[in-house]
């Protein structure tokens, strides 16, 4: 049995952001129309090392694609000079069950998470959105801005991070990559008061901006909080926004941005307008006016990994990327 091994360089070379965004739209549409099998991801907690490993399998029936991702988030790692996140994605031939490829998963995760926000921005943000704000100057924050710029005519961006030096590096790198001015905000208010699209990609447990600073017509992609205790968006913003999620089951199990307002008695599940796939499939409309605030809350769903990995594998074969080994 042969298996193709793909590095993080192979992953990014194989799948441009715009193609990744379209793959996310198709994946979410299948998820919301009953054409995907997605068990709730299995977490294994490792408190001794401040770690969490997640196992995320999925099958896309319409595309006949299957994969599983193993992703670890170990908070003690950065102090040891190690990455916070490690991940591996294994693509499985849905016809035979044979593993056919294994690819570096942290870059794929960043790519597909950014692409999901790109899909949400394309479906929900105002067409004339021109200013973006990003919270979190890490890997996820980079693909968030890249994706937003792929679907909207962004002319400038702002970044805010608790580590101002990291924000400065982000601004230089992303400004050079995207060819737009990227400014370092002195505080959250300076970033969001100008923004048409706001992306939050942090590990915060408390809101990263004030609701009063969000302008009418803003679209928000909230992707950082992934447990019931974590949140990036204030309750007041959630309450006045048209809320769109990636997957209802996962969101109601893991999305603190939604579960905390529900536990506070401030809202019910009925406040959630739609899954993104329902909008992508044309089952529900997205933005209803230029003045409303829209919020895409994502905790990550394995169909994203399946769709992105399948697209990477197809392109890698065309481009002769990776190394094939016999098991």
């Amino acid at each position: 049995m042969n298996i193709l091994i793909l590095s993080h360089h192979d992953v990014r070379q194989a799948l441009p952001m715009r193609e990744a965004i379209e793959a996310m739209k198709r994946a979410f549409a299948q998820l919301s129309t009953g054409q995907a099998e997605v068990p709730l991801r299995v977490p294994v907690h490792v408190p001794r090392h401040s770690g969490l490993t997640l196992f995320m399998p999925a099958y896309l029936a319409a595309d006949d694609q299957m994969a599983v991702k193993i992703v670890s988030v170990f908070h003690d790692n950065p102090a040891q000079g190690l990455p916070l996140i490690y991940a591996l994605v294994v693509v499985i031939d849905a016809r035979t069950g044979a593993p056919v490829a294994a690819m570096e998963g942290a870059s794929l995760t960043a790519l597909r998470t950014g692409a999901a926000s790109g899909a949400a921005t394309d479906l929900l943000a105002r067409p004339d959105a021109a200013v973006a704000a990003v919270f979190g100057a890490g890997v996820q924050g980079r693909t968030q801005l890249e994706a937003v710029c792929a679907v909207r005519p962004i002319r400038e961006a702002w970044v805010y991070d608790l580590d101002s030096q990291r924000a400065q590096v982000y601004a230089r790198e992303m400004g050079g990559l995207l060819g737009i001015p990227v400014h370092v905000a002195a505080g959250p208010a300076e970033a969001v008061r100008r923004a048409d699209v706001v992306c939050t990609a942090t590990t915060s447990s408390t809101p990263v901006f004030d609701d009063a600073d969000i302008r009418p017509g803003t679209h928000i992609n909230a992707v950082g909080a992934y447990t019931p205790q974590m949140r990036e968006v204030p309750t007041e913003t959630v309450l006045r926004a048209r809320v769109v999620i990636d997957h209802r089951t996962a969101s109601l199990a893991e999305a603190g941005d939604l579960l905390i307002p529900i536990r506070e008695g401030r809202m019910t599940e009925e406040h959630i307008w739609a899954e993104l796939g329902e909008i992508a499939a044309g089952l529900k409309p997205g933005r209803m006016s230029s003045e409303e605030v829209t919020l895409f809350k994502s905790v990550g769903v394995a169909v994203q990994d399946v769709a992105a990995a399948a697209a990477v594998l197809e392109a890698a074969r065309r481009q002769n990327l990776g190394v094939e080994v016999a098991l």
Side-chain angles (χ1 to χ4, degrees):
M1 180 174 63
N2 293 333
I3 187 167
L4 186 65
I5 307 299
L6 297 166
S7 70
H8 72 281
H9 293 295
D10 297 328
V11 169
R12 284 313 309 257
Q13 181 176 336
L15 188 59
M17 180 58 77
R18 184 70 232 195
E19 293 179 19
I21 290 170
E22 294 306 313
M24 291 307 102
K25 289 181 182 178
R26 294 193 301 273
F28 283 127
Q30 289 177 70
L31 177 65
S32 295
T33 55
Q35 299 180 82
E37 184 173 345
V38 192
L40 195 62
R41 61 188 176 189
V42 177
V44 176
H45 296 272
V46 190
R48 180 175 179 178
H49 303 292
S50 301
L52 170 69
T53 296
L54 299 165
F55 297 84
M56 302 172 61
Y59 171 62
L60 287 170
D63 290 339
D64 201 26
Q65 297 169 344
M66 183 163 53
V68 60
K69 182 171 76 173
I70 303 169
V71 58
S72 295
V73 183
F74 275 58
H75 292 281
D76 289 347
N77 281 4
Q80 305 173 60
L82 299 173
L84 173 67
I85 298 173
Y86 285 106
L88 179 73
V89 178
V90 177
V91 180
I92 300 166
D93 187 330
R95 299 167 299 175
T96 65
V100 293
M103 61 190 71
E104 195 278 322
S107 56
L108 186 82
T109 298
L111 177 62
R112 63 81 150 156
T113 303
S117 291
T121 301
D122 205 19
L123 294 169
L124 294 169
R126 298 194 329 268
D128 62 346
V131 179
V134 178
F135 286 80
V139 174
Q140 296 283 0
R142 284 166 164 76
T143 57
Q144 290 292 305
L145 183 56
E146 182 184 353
V148 169
C149 289
V151 298
R152 286 296 183 270
I154 301 299
R155 66 171 184 266
E156 67 172 325
W158 292 77
V159 60
Y160 178 73
D161 193 284
L162 294 176
D163 185 333
S164 60
Q165 184 174 1
R166 189 165 77 152
Q168 292 285 352
V169 172
Y170 176 103
R172 289 196 300 270
E173 292 181 355
M174 295 306 294
L177 176 67
L178 299 171
I180 61 171
V182 179
H183 313 286
V184 176
E190 185 176 20
V192 299
R193 284 175 181 171
R194 293 172 166 86
D196 303 308
V197 179
V198 175
C199 300
T200 62
T202 76
T203 56
S204 179
S205 296
T206 57
V208 297
F209 57 79
D210 292 331
D211 173 66
D213 293 323
I214 295 293
R215 300 186 304 168
T218 301
H219 171 66
I220 302 165
N221 298 305
V223 305
Y226 58 91
T227 74
Q229 294 76 35
M230 298 171 69
R231 67 189 310 191
E232 298 177 296
V233 182
T235 293
E236 293 76 15
T237 304
V238 176
L239 293 178
R240 69 181 173 113
R242 183 176 297 275
V243 177
V244 177
I245 56 176
D246 50 10
H247 187 213
R248 185 171 292 271
T249 301
S251 294
L252 292 176
E254 300 170 341
D257 286 304
L258 306 179
L259 293 173
I260 291 172
I262 290 174
R263 290 198 297 267
E264 291 173 342
R266 303 284 301 279
M267 63 174 266
T268 66
E269 297 176 16
E270 285 67 36
H271 183 64
I272 299 170
W273 167 246
E275 291 184 341
L276 188 63
E278 294 179 277
I279 298 172
L283 301 177
K284 286 188 175 181
R287 170 175 292 274
M288 302 293 282
S289 78
S290 61
E291 294 297 302
E292 74 174 345
V293 173
T294 53
L295 168 63
F296 173 57
K297 175 57 200 170
S298 174
V299 293
V301 189
V303 295
Q304 298 170 249
D305 302 301
V306 174
V312 165
L313 178 57
E314 181 181 354
R317 285 170 170 164
R318 289 197 310 267
Q319 299 174 36
N320 293 317
L321 300 175
V323 177
E324 192 167 71
V325 299
L327 298 181

